[in-house]
Amino acid sequence: MKKTILSLVALMGMATVSAETIEVNVKKVGAPVQSTMYGMFFEDINFGADGGLYGELVKNRSFEFPQSLMGWQAFGKVTVKDDGPFPRCPHYVSLSDPGHKERRTGLTNEGFFGIGVTKGSEYRFSVWARSKEGTAKIRVQLINPSSMGERQDLASQDMEITSGDWKKYELTLKAPVTEQKAQLRIFLVGKHGVDLEHISLFPKETFKGRENGLRKDLAQALADAHPGIFRFPGGCIVEGVDLETRYQWKNTIGPVENRPLNQNRWEYTFEHRYFPDYYQSYGLGFFEYFQLCEDIGADALPVINVGMACQFQNWNNEAAHVPVDQLQPYIQDALDLIEFANGDENSEWGKKRAEMGHKAPFGLKYLAVGNEQWDDMYYKRLKPFVEAIRKAYPQIKIVGTSGPDSEGEMFDKGWVAMKELKADLVDEHFYRNEEWFLSHGLRYESYDRKGPKVFAGEYACHGKGKKWNHFEASLLEAALMTDFERNADVVYMTAYAPLFAHIDGWQWRPDLIWFDNTRVFKSCSYYVQQMYMMNKGTNVLPCLMDKKPVAGETGLYASAVIDKDKKEYIVKVVNVNADAREVNLNLKGLKKGQALSVETLTLHSADLDAENTLDNPEKITPQKGTIAISDGTISDKIPAKTFRMYKVKY
Ligand code: AHR
């Protein structure tokens, strides 16, 4: 219903401006909103893990890169050997006296685009070492290689290696200044040589203070958003480019020193963003992942390989994948992962979890099988996985996939197959442009309510020629998300993608959170996600204009929920129009005097291309406000290009 008001302009006989009425029926409490409704997707792309969320500051710490000294600059007499103490990471370096009084032997690590240190912070240096020639001494330094000052070394400590057997040694370095691109230098002091392995440097202050911990500011940014589900580890990373380089979760647990290196497929996937030194140390592995989910209160959603290499890279090549009758080890990996998460401490894999420090089960509820797979090649492989998981763990919810297309023949075929296989959820991906986002305001209204539920597992607005985190993209994402919310009876999970990007090392954008070696900023898309995550409510409320969903017909998109716990009605409205819109929000059924206050939260930028940056991280952030409510109606003028949320306490 539209209520026409006469504006001054109309009085002058020039035009009529109408207020649009959005009706929210607060008495008609609808479908529950799942706790998993708004989530995140983590993949080691854009240096998201090594060089990002994972706190390790040394690149190639175990000398396992194909070029053993990649990331290191060696000087003097340094030899690489491969009979070290950790069988799956056998390489180490031997430093010996260069035989010249003034020269030294040692090596310098360049970190990930430098080593970021912050003034006053402490860093834990550790190394596995031995000296077969009697007690040896090494000097460990944080240096600023491009220092214009008197000194190049920022911090320096000596360490004595006292044993002829491999032992772990540690010391602490304190940074006197903040430096983005410091380096770690180690060299021999004295004549006795040393063998060094797994050379590591971590900030002492990691998230939750853990030794093999996560970068605090980045993990905190995740926690601050309050995601309900956390998908990991990919993405295409799950498949690798070939089976050999697929993600194998069993390689990511146990002592970090013995986790084998894997190639990172994002090293060379894009020729225009090529990073030859991008590998996966697996230091942030499946244990750390489950722990992080627990820390931030999100349900875990691991993705496991379905016996397929990347389908894009191996187009129509059946031979690139595991024959269906040889899938058993892959299926066993899936079952063992569930046991690692949920098994008791006496089970084979539960024991390994307990040994790593988490006796209690993690309470895993979901498992995704396959990333972006499509066609019969996938369906016939998924089938035996589903059968085996159902048999051993009937309570686990299985997530299948409809492939990389957001619609079309293969997408439809995927949904039919997932229904036949009785997947609990189907993972849909859509990286699409502005028009697509604007025209999909009713995407989920027509979905079958009796089949599997939807997991919108990877999506972002990839603007036409505007593939970066500008405001317009986030506004259109907010608009589409009203459709997720209205259809919470069928949309059970969603996740924007990808999550992290290093400003010097990205391959893909837009991304939710950006960082350099010491700073972080949250994109405007992050704030959209956060507004939804923190205000998802408990149940959907009908939200209509002219008896229809508010899905873009007049450039407005809207949805509403009730939060029974917080006693709030929450209405989200997105105005994508180029002009402000008068809107009457009519909360039908609200008792007189029942609403005590209305808070608003507004995300807006007059410049559609504007973005948050490291230097201006809070350029676009949600702004709080209040607005009056009278007889159950909020009358507002929503500025052009604005996402506004109303929270009505009752
Ligand atoms: O998020 C980046 C990539 O996009 C993911 O790895 C893949 O699933 C999708 O194609």
Side-chain angles (χ1 to χ4, degrees):
M1 191 195 16
K2 278 188 188 172
K3 186 170 133 196
T4 305
I5 59 163
L6 294 179
S7 71
L8 260 183
V9 185
L11 281 174
M12 288 154 66
M14 290 165 69
T16 302
V17 178
S18 24
E20 320 206 49
T21 297
I22 296 176
E23 191 178 87
V24 175
N25 191 335
V26 301
K27 287 282 168 240
K28 253 189 156 173
V29 175
V33 178
Q34 303 298 315
S35 63
T36 53
M37 182 72 178
Y38 304 111
M40 284 179 171
F41 161 54
F42 179 89
E43 176 167 26
D44 190 1
I45 186 172
N46 306 320
F47 286 81
D50 291 296
L53 182 60
Y54 184 45
E56 178 62 81
L57 297 168
V58 175
K59 182 168 68 188
N60 190 14
R61 63 185 173 187
S62 291
F63 307 99
E64 296 302 322
F65 282 26
Q67 285 73 32
S68 306
L69 288 177
M70 199 179 229
W72 295 93
Q73 191 183 44
F75 46 93
K77 233 173 145 184
V78 176
T79 324
V80 178
K81 298 185 176 164
D82 64 2
D83 57 347
F86 306 112
R88 299 202 292 182
C89 300
H91 294 89
Y92 63 97
V93 285
S94 219
L95 274 54
S96 36
D97 179 21
H100 181 299
K101 206 166 135 243
E102 311 302 332
R103 284 190 64 199
R104 296 185 182 278
T105 286
L107 62 179
T108 303
N109 190 274
E110 66 190 23
F112 300 91
F113 315 101
I115 290 179
V117 293
T118 315
K119 186 176 176 179
S121 296
E122 292 187 323
Y123 297 85
R124 181 185 300 108
F125 168 83
S126 67
V127 61
W128 283 80
R130 68 177 175 188
S131 167
K132 291 194 271 191
E133 301 165 5
T135 295
K137 196 190 272 185
I138 53 171
R139 188 156 298 158
V140 183
Q141 299 184 323
L142 276 175
I143 62 164
N144 175 359
S146 49
S147 164
M148 298 299 283
E150 178 82 3
R151 298 193 69 96
Q152 198 190 36
D153 54 330
L154 304 172
S156 187
Q157 294 268 347
D158 287 355
M159 174 181 268
E160 285 198 341
I161 312 301
T162 52
S163 171
D165 295 325
W166 287 106
K167 262 181 64 183
K168 187 176 180 181
Y169 297 82
E170 275 187 21
L171 58 73
T172 297
L173 295 168
K174 190 169 178 171
V177 290
T178 295
E179 175 56 50
Q180 280 282 335
K181 296 194 185 288
Q183 295 185 344
L184 177 73
R185 185 157 67 194
I186 302 154
F187 57 88
L188 271 184
V189 181
K191 292 230 162 282
H192 289 168
V194 287
D195 293 336
L196 304 176
E197 158 67 316
H198 198 88
I199 302 176
S200 169
L201 185 74
F202 268 83
K204 276 200 164 171
E205 220 183 304
T206 55
F207 187 61
K208 305 279 176 193
R210 301 207 174 92
E211 270 201 26
N212 184 52
L214 307 180
R215 200 175 127 173
K216 196 177 174 186
D217 54 348
L218 300 189
Q220 194 57 50
L222 299 182
D224 290 346
H226 300 276
I229 189 90
F230 199 65
R231 178 173 179 249
F232 175 97
C236 298
I237 280 265
V238 169
E239 304 150 87
V241 282
D242 46 32
L243 287 168
E244 204 190 322
T245 54
R246 74 190 190 278
Y247 194 100
Q248 299 188 54
W249 78 266
K250 287 177 180 167
N251 288 343
T252 76
I253 62 163
V256 282
E257 294 85 349
N258 202 25
R259 299 184 190 176
L261 190 82
N262 196 19
Q263 192 185 67
N264 189 315
R265 56 154 304 134
W266 299 112
E267 176 194 323
Y268 50 78
T269 299
F270 301 119
E271 264 177 46
H272 60 290
R273 304 287 305 170
Y274 187 40
F275 293 87
D277 57 349
Y278 197 2
Y279 287 83
Q280 296 175 81
S281 73
Y282 285 150
L284 193 184
F286 257 85
F287 180 82
E288 293 75 19
Y289 159 61
F290 284 135
Q291 208 169 34
L292 175 63
C293 290
E294 190 171 78
D295 289 341
I296 63 176
D299 266 310
L301 174 57
V303 187
I304 47 137
N305 186 295
V306 65
M308 297 183 77
C310 177
Q311 273 183 277
F312 285 108
Q313 247 91 12
N314 300 281
W315 204 263
N316 282 338
N317 178 11
E318 176 71 46
H321 313 301
V322 183
V324 176
D325 61 358
Q326 290 170 33
L327 280 171
Q328 191 46 40
Y330 290 74
I331 295 173
Q332 196 56 48
D333 273 357
L335 299 175
D336 292 343
L337 179 62
I338 300 172
E339 186 175 287
F340 178 70
N342 291 354
D344 75 49
E345 52 180 310
N346 300 314
S347 62
E348 183 187 350
W349 291 95
K351 187 165 178 234
K352 293 185 199 295
R353 180 198 68 239
E355 282 165 2
M356 290 184 76
H358 203 286
K359 251 181 161 190
F362 280 116
L364 179 68
K365 298 183 201 129
Y366 306 94
L367 187 68
V369 187
N371 170 41
E372 253 176 12
Q373 325 307 151
W374 67 91
D375 215 351
D376 299 335
M377 277 190 198
Y378 170 49
Y379 316 142
K380 68 181 178 195
R381 288 180 172 81
L382 179 61
K383 192 167 184 275
F385 276 83
V386 172
E387 285 165 359
I389 296 166
R390 291 267 183 259
K391 192 164 169 219
Y393 299 103
Q395 74 284 13
I396 289 286
K397 301 263 180 259
I398 299 174
V399 183
T401 155
S402 54
D405 298 338
S406 50
E407 54 267 303
E409 203 185 319
M410 204 43 83
F411 173 85
D412 293 341
K413 190 172 174 182
W415 263 95
V416 170
M418 293 310 110
K419 279 181 188 170
E420 276 170 17
L421 288 169
K422 295 200 167 50
D424 295 292
L425 291 109
V426 179
D427 182 4
E428 304 187 335
H429 293 178
F430 32 92
Y431 296 107
R432 295 291 184 263
N433 66 25
E434 295 92 341
E435 282 81 39
W436 190 93
F437 269 74
L438 284 168
S439 60
H440 277 69
L442 290 171
R443 180 176 176 84
Y444 292 111
E445 264 73 6
S446 57
Y447 269 53
D448 179 3
R449 268 44 192 177
K450 293 193 199 93
K453 304 302 175 197
V454 172
F455 172 37
E458 289 188 34
Y459 71 91
C461 177
H462 282 195
K464 266 191 194 152
K466 284 186 176 183
K467 272 201 193 177
W468 79 89
N469 285 101
H470 59 301
F471 174 71
E472 187 180 17
S474 61
L475 184 75
L476 302 192
E477 288 153 9
L480 185 73
M481 289 173 82
T482 58
D483 192 50
F484 298 169
E485 192 158 276
R486 273 198 310 274
N487 293 285
D489 58 327
V490 68
V491 181
Y492 272 27
M493 291 180 188
T494 61
Y496 179 96
L499 184 50
F500 284 119
H502 192 299
I503 209 93
D504 294 329
W506 61 270
Q507 295 83 47
W508 179 295
R509 51 177 198 176
D511 308 287
L512 212 57
I513 300 168
W514 286 80
F515 57 93
D516 64 9
N517 283 346
T518 57
R519 298 173 298 171
V520 56
F521 78 85
K522 297 158 177 168
S523 65
C524 15
S525 291
Y526 172 97
Y527 287 110
V528 167
Q529 294 294 323
Q530 188 186 44
M531 283 169 73
Y532 273 89
M533 284 174 188
M534 294 184 71
N535 299 284
K536 61 177 176 291
T538 54
N539 297 76
V540 182
L541 293 174
C543 176
L544 302 169
M545 184 190 286
D546 293 333
K547 297 197 168 63
K548 288 186 294 200
V550 194
E553 217 175 289
T554 61
L556 295 179
Y557 297 76
S559 58
V561 290
I562 177 175
D563 192 318
K564 291 184 192 165
D565 305 323
K566 296 187 196 153
K567 295 199 181 302
E568 283 170 359
Y569 302 120
I570 304 163
V571 187
K572 302 179 181 87
V573 185
V574 182
N575 177 15
V576 303
N577 292 297
D579 53 356
R581 289 298 158 109
E582 309 259 5
V583 173
N584 293 320
L585 281 182
N586 178 9
L587 301 188
K588 193 177 158 197
L590 195 76
K591 282 195 212 114
K592 249 201 163 156
Q594 194 187 4
L596 304 176
S597 63
V598 180
E599 278 175 24
T600 58
L601 204 54
T602 303
L603 195 71
H604 168 77
S605 164
D607 176 1
L608 292 181
D609 287 351
E611 59 182 323
N612 293 335
T613 59
L614 283 168
D615 294 327
N616 199 352
E618 296 192 349
K619 188 175 172 136
I620 306 161
T621 57
Q623 301 299 312
K624 281 189 180 166
T626 53
I627 192 165
I629 182 162
S630 161
D631 286 339
T633 298
I634 302 163
S635 297
D636 195 9
K637 184 170 181 179
I638 306 178
K641 310 284 182 190
T642 295
F643 172 28
R644 180 163 289 169
M645 195 173 75
Y646 304 83
K647 289 212 266 186
V648 184
K649 287 261 178 226
Y650 67 87

PDB file of all heavy atoms in Angstrom, residues 75-76 97-106 187-191:
ATOM      1  N   PHE A  75      74.885 -16.625   3.944  1.00  0.00           N
ATOM      2  CA  PHE A  75      76.232 -16.069   3.746  1.00  0.00           C
ATOM      3  C   PHE A  75      77.240 -16.916   4.519  1.00  0.00           C
ATOM      4  O   PHE A  75      76.901 -17.572   5.505  1.00  0.00           O
ATOM      5  CB  PHE A  75      76.290 -14.583   4.154  1.00  0.00           C
ATOM      6  CG  PHE A  75      75.642 -14.258   5.474  1.00  0.00           C
ATOM      7  CD1 PHE A  75      76.387 -14.232   6.657  1.00  0.00           C
ATOM      8  CD2 PHE A  75      74.273 -13.980   5.540  1.00  0.00           C
ATOM      9  CE1 PHE A  75      75.785 -13.926   7.869  1.00  0.00           C
ATOM     10  CE2 PHE A  75      73.671 -13.683   6.758  1.00  0.00           C
ATOM     11  CZ  PHE A  75      74.432 -13.656   7.926  1.00  0.00           C
ATOM     12  N   GLY A  76      78.492 -16.899   4.068  1.00  0.00           N
ATOM     13  CA  GLY A  76      79.510 -17.745   4.705  1.00  0.00           C
ATOM     14  C   GLY A  76      79.336 -19.190   4.285  1.00  0.00           C
ATOM     15  O   GLY A  76      78.978 -19.493   3.141  1.00  0.00           O
ATOM     16  N   ASP A  97      82.213 -22.615  10.486  1.00  0.00           N
ATOM     17  CA  ASP A  97      83.195 -21.522  10.500  1.00  0.00           C
ATOM     18  C   ASP A  97      83.692 -21.254   9.075  1.00  0.00           C
ATOM     19  O   ASP A  97      84.151 -22.170   8.397  1.00  0.00           O
ATOM     20  CB  ASP A  97      84.349 -21.966  11.427  1.00  0.00           C
ATOM     21  CG  ASP A  97      85.435 -20.912  11.483  1.00  0.00           C
ATOM     22  OD1 ASP A  97      85.148 -19.739  11.172  1.00  0.00           O
ATOM     23  OD2 ASP A  97      86.577 -21.270  11.832  1.00  0.00           O
ATOM     24  N   PRO A  98      83.574 -20.023   8.609  1.00  0.00           N
ATOM     25  CA  PRO A  98      83.999 -19.733   7.235  1.00  0.00           C
ATOM     26  C   PRO A  98      85.519 -19.758   7.078  1.00  0.00           C
ATOM     27  O   PRO A  98      86.034 -19.634   5.958  1.00  0.00           O
ATOM     28  CB  PRO A  98      83.444 -18.333   6.984  1.00  0.00           C
ATOM     29  CG  PRO A  98      83.330 -17.715   8.333  1.00  0.00           C
ATOM     30  CD  PRO A  98      83.072 -18.829   9.303  1.00  0.00           C
ATOM     31  N   GLY A  99      86.263 -19.879   8.203  1.00  0.00           N
ATOM     32  CA  GLY A  99      87.717 -19.993   8.119  1.00  0.00           C
ATOM     33  C   GLY A  99      88.399 -18.664   7.869  1.00  0.00           C
ATOM     34  O   GLY A  99      89.521 -18.615   7.378  1.00  0.00           O
ATOM     35  N   HIS A 100      87.719 -17.580   8.151  1.00  0.00           N
ATOM     36  CA  HIS A 100      88.285 -16.255   7.921  1.00  0.00           C
ATOM     37  C   HIS A 100      87.814 -15.393   9.080  1.00  0.00           C
ATOM     38  O   HIS A 100      86.607 -15.247   9.302  1.00  0.00           O
ATOM     39  CB  HIS A 100      87.758 -15.730   6.581  1.00  0.00           C
ATOM     40  CG  HIS A 100      88.277 -14.375   6.199  1.00  0.00           C
ATOM     41  ND1 HIS A 100      88.067 -13.257   6.950  1.00  0.00           N
ATOM     42  CD2 HIS A 100      88.986 -13.983   5.117  1.00  0.00           C
ATOM     43  CE1 HIS A 100      88.609 -12.215   6.353  1.00  0.00           C
ATOM     44  NE2 HIS A 100      89.193 -12.642   5.237  1.00  0.00           N
ATOM     45  N   LYS A 101      88.758 -14.796   9.808  1.00  0.00           N
ATOM     46  CA  LYS A 101      88.451 -14.115  11.071  1.00  0.00           C
ATOM     47  C   LYS A 101      87.330 -13.082  10.953  1.00  0.00           C
ATOM     48  O   LYS A 101      86.466 -12.966  11.814  1.00  0.00           O
ATOM     49  CB  LYS A 101      89.734 -13.440  11.561  1.00  0.00           C
ATOM     50  CG  LYS A 101      89.750 -13.248  13.055  1.00  0.00           C
ATOM     51  CD  LYS A 101      91.139 -12.912  13.537  1.00  0.00           C
ATOM     52  CE  LYS A 101      91.049 -11.763  14.511  1.00  0.00           C
ATOM     53  NZ  LYS A 101      91.684 -10.563  14.164  1.00  0.00           N
ATOM     54  N   GLU A 102      87.340 -12.311   9.883  1.00  0.00           N
ATOM     55  CA  GLU A 102      86.393 -11.190   9.803  1.00  0.00           C
ATOM     56  C   GLU A 102      85.040 -11.589   9.194  1.00  0.00           C
ATOM     57  O   GLU A 102      84.079 -10.863   9.306  1.00  0.00           O
ATOM     58  CB  GLU A 102      86.979 -10.047   8.942  1.00  0.00           C
ATOM     59  CG  GLU A 102      88.389  -9.640   9.291  1.00  0.00           C
ATOM     60  CD  GLU A 102      88.518  -9.198  10.738  1.00  0.00           C
ATOM     61  OE1 GLU A 102      87.516  -8.703  11.304  1.00  0.00           O
ATOM     62  OE2 GLU A 102      89.604  -9.378  11.308  1.00  0.00           O
ATOM     63  N   ARG A 103      85.009 -12.715   8.529  1.00  0.00           N
ATOM     64  CA  ARG A 103      83.757 -13.083   7.863  1.00  0.00           C
ATOM     65  C   ARG A 103      82.851 -13.847   8.805  1.00  0.00           C
ATOM     66  O   ARG A 103      83.270 -14.334   9.839  1.00  0.00           O
ATOM     67  CB  ARG A 103      84.059 -13.950   6.637  1.00  0.00           C
ATOM     68  CG  ARG A 103      84.589 -13.150   5.487  1.00  0.00           C
ATOM     69  CD  ARG A 103      84.639 -13.992   4.244  1.00  0.00           C
ATOM     70  NE  ARG A 103      83.304 -14.410   3.829  1.00  0.00           N
ATOM     71  CZ  ARG A 103      83.078 -15.419   3.012  1.00  0.00           C
ATOM     72  NH1 ARG A 103      84.085 -16.131   2.551  1.00  0.00           N
ATOM     73  NH2 ARG A 103      81.846 -15.735   2.659  1.00  0.00           N
ATOM     74  N   ARG A 104      81.598 -13.936   8.435  1.00  0.00           N
ATOM     75  CA  ARG A 104      80.659 -14.656   9.279  1.00  0.00           C
ATOM     76  C   ARG A 104      79.895 -15.680   8.436  1.00  0.00           C
ATOM     77  O   ARG A 104      79.862 -15.592   7.215  1.00  0.00           O
ATOM     78  CB  ARG A 104      79.660 -13.690   9.913  1.00  0.00           C
ATOM     79  CG  ARG A 104      80.310 -12.694  10.854  1.00  0.00           C
ATOM     80  CD  ARG A 104      79.261 -11.846  11.533  1.00  0.00           C
ATOM     81  NE  ARG A 104      79.855 -10.851  12.402  1.00  0.00           N
ATOM     82  CZ  ARG A 104      80.268 -11.077  13.635  1.00  0.00           C
ATOM     83  NH1 ARG A 104      80.173 -12.278  14.163  1.00  0.00           N
ATOM     84  NH2 ARG A 104      80.785 -10.107  14.363  1.00  0.00           N
ATOM     85  N   THR A 105      79.244 -16.586   9.162  1.00  0.00           N
ATOM     86  CA  THR A 105      78.350 -17.543   8.501  1.00  0.00           C
ATOM     87  C   THR A 105      76.965 -17.394   9.107  1.00  0.00           C
ATOM     88  O   THR A 105      76.827 -17.355  10.332  1.00  0.00           O
ATOM     89  CB  THR A 105      78.855 -18.983   8.724  1.00  0.00           C
ATOM     90  OG1 THR A 105      80.003 -19.199   7.904  1.00  0.00           O
ATOM     91  CG2 THR A 105      77.791 -20.009   8.346  1.00  0.00           C
ATOM     92  N   GLY A 106      75.992 -17.302   8.271  1.00  0.00           N
ATOM     93  CA  GLY A 106      74.631 -17.184   8.803  1.00  0.00           C
ATOM     94  C   GLY A 106      73.607 -17.065   7.705  1.00  0.00           C
ATOM     95  O   GLY A 106      73.877 -17.358   6.540  1.00  0.00           O
ATOM     96  N   PHE A 187      73.494 -15.545  12.908  1.00  0.00           N
ATOM     97  CA  PHE A 187      74.832 -15.911  12.442  1.00  0.00           C
ATOM     98  C   PHE A 187      75.686 -16.489  13.566  1.00  0.00           C
ATOM     99  O   PHE A 187      75.395 -16.302  14.753  1.00  0.00           O
ATOM    100  CB  PHE A 187      75.521 -14.740  11.736  1.00  0.00           C
ATOM    101  CG  PHE A 187      75.649 -13.472  12.542  1.00  0.00           C
ATOM    102  CD1 PHE A 187      76.746 -13.271  13.376  1.00  0.00           C
ATOM    103  CD2 PHE A 187      74.685 -12.482  12.454  1.00  0.00           C
ATOM    104  CE1 PHE A 187      76.869 -12.086  14.102  1.00  0.00           C
ATOM    105  CE2 PHE A 187      74.803 -11.307  13.173  1.00  0.00           C
ATOM    106  CZ  PHE A 187      75.896 -11.096  14.002  1.00  0.00           C
ATOM    107  N   LEU A 188      76.680 -17.207  13.155  1.00  0.00           N
ATOM    108  CA  LEU A 188      77.579 -17.875  14.102  1.00  0.00           C
ATOM    109  C   LEU A 188      78.468 -16.866  14.791  1.00  0.00           C
ATOM    110  O   LEU A 188      78.978 -15.943  14.158  1.00  0.00           O
ATOM    111  CB  LEU A 188      78.514 -18.826  13.358  1.00  0.00           C
ATOM    112  CG  LEU A 188      78.098 -20.265  13.105  1.00  0.00           C
ATOM    113  CD1 LEU A 188      79.266 -21.005  12.428  1.00  0.00           C
ATOM    114  CD2 LEU A 188      77.737 -20.956  14.407  1.00  0.00           C
ATOM    115  N   VAL A 189      78.662 -17.059  16.096  1.00  0.00           N
ATOM    116  CA  VAL A 189      79.636 -16.248  16.830  1.00  0.00           C
ATOM    117  C   VAL A 189      80.624 -17.265  17.400  1.00  0.00           C
ATOM    118  O   VAL A 189      80.235 -18.109  18.201  1.00  0.00           O
ATOM    119  CB  VAL A 189      78.964 -15.472  17.985  1.00  0.00           C
ATOM    120  CG1 VAL A 189      79.968 -14.617  18.723  1.00  0.00           C
ATOM    121  CG2 VAL A 189      77.813 -14.637  17.470  1.00  0.00           C
ATOM    122  N   GLY A 190      81.843 -17.249  16.951  1.00  0.00           N
ATOM    123  CA  GLY A 190      82.804 -18.255  17.423  1.00  0.00           C
ATOM    124  C   GLY A 190      83.039 -19.325  16.374  1.00  0.00           C
ATOM    125  O   GLY A 190      82.459 -19.288  15.279  1.00  0.00           O
ATOM    126  N   LYS A 191      83.872 -20.250  16.731  1.00  0.00           N
ATOM    127  CA  LYS A 191      84.360 -21.220  15.739  1.00  0.00           C
ATOM    128  C   LYS A 191      83.482 -22.464  15.584  1.00  0.00           C
ATOM    129  O   LYS A 191      83.500 -23.130  14.564  1.00  0.00           O
ATOM    130  CB  LYS A 191      85.774 -21.678  16.138  1.00  0.00           C
ATOM    131  CG  LYS A 191      86.828 -20.600  16.030  1.00  0.00           C
ATOM    132  CD  LYS A 191      88.015 -21.133  15.233  1.00  0.00           C
ATOM    133  CE  LYS A 191      88.928 -20.072  14.691  1.00  0.00           C
ATOM    134  NZ  LYS A 191      88.427 -19.398  13.513  1.00  0.00           N
TER     135      LYS A 191
END
